Amino acid sequence: MSDKKPNAKATSKKSASGKVTKPLRRASAAKSGQADSNASDSRKAKLFGRLKKNEEQGAYTSVKNLKSKRAFLGKASGASSRGGVEQDKNRFRLIWGIALLILVALIGRAYYIQVAHTQFYQDKGNELITSVRTQKSYRGMITDRNDLPLAVSAPLATVSFSPHDYAREYYELKRIIITNPESPQLIARMQKRLDNMDLMTLAAAANISVDELKRVTAIDPTIDVTDEVAVKAALPSGAGSHYLPLLNKVTPEIAESVSSLDFPGVNEKNFFQRYYPQPQPNSQLLGFMGQNANDPEGGYEGRAGIERQYEKELAGDDGKVLVLKDAKQNSLKEIKQVEPEVPGKDVTLTIDSRLQYLLYKELEKAGRLQKARWSTGMVVDVQTGEVLALSTWPSFNSNNLNEMTGENQRNRALLDVFEPGSVMKPFTVAAALDSGKYTATTLIDTNPGSIRVRGYTIRDHNNLGRITMATLLQKSSNVASTKIALSLPADAITNMQRQFGFGAKTPLQFPGEGSGLVVTPEEKETSRRATVSYGYGIQVTLAQIAQAYSALAAGGVMHPLTLNKNDKALPSKRIMAHEQAMAIVQMMESVTEDGGTAKGAAIDGYRVAGKTGTSRRINPKGGYYTDQYRNVFAGMAPASNPRLVGVMLIEDPRGQIYAGLTVAPVFHNVMKEALRLYNVPLDKPLKTEAQ
C-alpha cells in the first residue's frame, strides 16, 4: 500500500469520465479498517433481516409448516422449488376442473341441439333457406247427364315485370364488370347476361312498348355503379316499381313465350279460373266461386249452388312442395313433395244441358212478354225423380260476377216460398178419395157459386152447379174444394199435403233451400180449413210442387228428387194407392182440354194432364194486392203413362193475369221438345189439317 497522494490530474480526469461523486475524505488506516468492519456488519444485519422476514412470510419454512398454512388459492413466493410445485398443482387442478366443466357444458349443449331438439333446430335452419309452397289442386268439373261440361277449371297464368329487380340486376352486373378487370372470363359471363337483358326482346315477346319498359326501369348509364348509395337512389320506387302486368290471365302456352326468356324481373303466377260454358241458364243452379277469407294465399271456394254444396268433393286437397329460396326470398327450385296433391272429383248432374237451355229461353221470352218480375221452372223425370232442367230468369253471366245482383242470383225454384193457389187442389181431391167419403163420380153441389164461411165469402168464377171431382179440377172450383175440406177432419187436407212432401225440404238439400210451411188448422178454424184446400194459408216451393206432381204421375210412389247422378239414390215409398193416383191424373187431363183452364198447355200427339194456379201476391202491409198475381202451372205427359213432369211459374205478370194464358204456353213449348229429345212415344193421334 502506498502512502502517495493521488494525482490531482488523474483524479480530476477520472471524475470527468465517470459518475460524478462527492470527494473522498482522507482517513487514517485505523479508521478505514473500522469502517470496513462496520459495513460488513451492516450487510449481515440486512441479510438476516430479509431471511427472517421471508421466513415469516412462508417462503423459507419446512414442508410440515407449509402444509398447515397452505390456502387453496395461496400464492407461492420466493424461490423454493418445493413450495412452488405445490401451488402449481392447485392451479393445475383448478384449470382442469374448469376445463372439464366447460367440456361437460359443451357436450350437454351439443346433446340438447343435436339429439333432444334436433327437429326444432332443423326446422329453424330450413326456414332460412326453404319454404313450403301450396300446390293448388285441380278443381273437379261439373257436367250434365251426358258428360257435357257445365263448369270447368281453366289453367291460366299472369306474367308480371318488376322494374326494381331488373334495374338492380343491371347495375350489379355493371359493377362486377368494372371491379374485376383482371378476370376476363368473369367479365365475359357477366357481359353475356347483360346482353340478354335487352328490353327490346321482352317488349317483343310481351307485345308491349319498349319505350314504356325503358320509362319504368329508368336505367341511368352515367351512374357510378360502385357507389352503393347512388345505385340505391337510382332504383325505381313507388307505385308500379315492383309490379307491372305484362300478360293477364292468359293460357300457359301464351305465358310461356315470355316466362321462357328467363328475363330478370319477370315473374309468372299460375292458377285455375272457373269457367262456365253455358252461364245464364245454369248460373243460379251451379252458383259461383268466391275468395276464401281463411286462405292466406287467397284461394277460392264455392259460394253458392252446386259449387258450394259439393265444395269438398270438387276442391280436392292442395299439395305442399318444399322449395329452395335465395336471400331475396325468390324460389330457386322444388326440393321435394311434402304432401301430395289430390285432384277434385267431377260431379255429374242429372241436368240435361239441352233441355236446360230451352227452358231458360222460354222463361226469358215469357217473362219479357209479360213484363214479369221473374220466372222459373223445373222438369223432372217421373220414373227416377231426376231433375232434368231447373232454371230462373233473369239470370247473370257467372263468368262475369259484375252482372250479379241480390235478385238475379236467387234460385227461385228452391229458395223462394209462396202461396201456390189452385195447383194444390189435386191433393185436396186425394184427401177426399183417401177418406172413403168420396169417389171419382161423387157429385158436389156448388150452388149458387159461392159459400159463406165465418164471415168470408168464397166464390167461383161462375155457378158450376153440381160437379164431379174432374170438373172441380177442370174449372178450378174453390167452392167444391171448401165443401170437401169442411166435410173431412180438420187435419185431413194438411196431412195429405205433408204426405206429398210439403212443409219439408226436398232431398236435394240445396244451399238455402226453403222448407215452406204447412200449419194444421184447429177444428173451429173453418176459414183456415177452407183456404188451405185451395192453396192459400200455406207456403211451398216450386221444387215441392214438382216432387208432389211427380209422385202423382208415378202412381202414388214418391221418388225423391235428385240433382247428382253420383249420389246414392234414396229409397222410394208409396204414399197413395195406384188406382187413386191415376184417377187424379185422368181427372187433370180435362184441364188441358176444351173447357179447361189450361188449353194452351196441350201438346199434339200426347195426352197432357195438369193444373193451373192463379193466386194473389201478399202485400207486406197486410192482406193481398188486388192487381198483382202469381201464375203457376204443373203438368205431366204423356198422361197415359207419365214420363215427364214440368212446373212453371211467372211472378207478377203485367200482360195477362191467368196462368192458362201466361205460363201454360211455356209448359207446352218446353215439354214438347223434352218429349221429342227423349223419344217418348205418342199416346194420342196427331191432329190433321182437317181437324
Side-chain angles (χ1 to χ4, degrees), residues 491-509:
D491 61 353
I493 303 296
T494 53
N495 284 347
M496 182 60 67
Q497 291 171 347
R498 288 196 185 92
Q499 198 168 317
F500 275 90
F502 296 103
K505 292 182 180 181
T506 69
L508 297 177
Q509 296 299 310

Side-chain angles (χ1 to χ4, degrees), residues 121-140:
Y121 286 99
Q122 283 182 352
D123 294 342
K124 284 292 184 181
N126 289 338
E127 286 179 6
L128 299 176
I129 60 172
T130 63
S131 63
V132 176
R133 186 183 67 195
T134 300
Q135 189 176 45
K136 291 294 182 182
S137 63
Y138 177 81
R139 189 174 182 87

Side-chain angles (χ1 to χ4, degrees), residues 15-205:
S15 293
S17 62
K19 186 177 179 181
V20 178
T21 58
K22 292 181 180 181
L24 296 176
R25 290 184 181 181
R26 178 176 290 276
S28 63
K31 287 183 179 181
S32 177
Q34 186 179 358
D36 290 340
S37 177
N38 291 338
S40 176
D41 292 340
S42 176
R43 284 195 299 271
K44 289 180 181 180
K46 288 181 180 180
L47 176 60
F48 286 114
R50 282 199 301 270
L51 291 174
K52 184 177 181 180
K53 184 178 180 181
N54 288 337
E55 185 179 357
E56 290 174 355
Q57 291 178 349
Y60 293 88
T61 183
S62 66
V63 175
K64 180 179 180 181
N65 292 335
L66 178 63
K67 289 182 179 179
S68 64
K69 295 179 180 180
R70 182 180 301 161
F72 181 72
L73 295 177
K75 291 184 178 179
S77 59
S80 171
S81 61
R82 295 177 62 191
V85 169
E86 292 298 329
Q87 293 298 327
D88 288 344
K89 285 182 179 179
N90 292 333
R91 284 194 293 270
F92 180 80
R93 294 189 184 113
L94 175 62
I95 292 172
W96 270 100
I98 294 173
L100 184 60
L101 290 175
I102 294 174
L103 180 62
V104 170
L106 290 175
I107 294 174
R109 182 63 176 170
Y111 176 83
Y112 178 84
I113 293 175
Q114 299 183 27
V115 180
H117 292 77
T118 306
Q119 192 61 44
F120 174 79
Y121 286 99
Q122 283 182 352
D123 294 342
K124 284 292 184 181
N126 289 338
E127 286 179 6
L128 299 176
I129 60 172
T130 63
S131 63
V132 176
R133 186 183 67 195
T134 300
Q135 189 176 45
K136 291 294 182 182
S137 63
Y138 177 81
R139 189 174 182 87
M141 290 195 304
I142 302 175
T143 65
D144 77 344
R145 64 187 301 110
N146 300 313
D147 293 327
L148 294 176
L150 301 178
V152 295
S153 289
L156 296 178
T158 294
V159 181
S160 61
F161 177 60
S162 173
H164 182 276
D165 293 347
Y166 174 87
R168 182 178 59 189
E169 181 75 6
Y170 181 89
Y171 292 134
E172 178 63 16
L173 293 177
K174 282 284 191 181
R175 185 193 66 79
I176 295 174
I177 292 174
I178 293 175
T179 57
N180 294 276
E182 73 287 351
S183 304
Q185 292 182 346
L186 176 62
I187 292 176
R189 290 200 309 271
M190 297 301 102
Q191 187 61 49
K192 184 177 180 180
R193 290 176 58 182
L194 201 60
D195 294 340
N196 291 335
M197 293 177 64
D198 186 4
L199 292 175
M200 285 288 292
T201 304
L202 180 61

Side-chain angles (χ1 to χ4, degrees), residues 533-547:
S533 69
Y534 53 84
Y536 281 84
I538 62 173
Q539 298 286 325
V540 304
T541 66
L542 196 75
Q544 290 172 343
I545 297 176
Q547 180 175 247

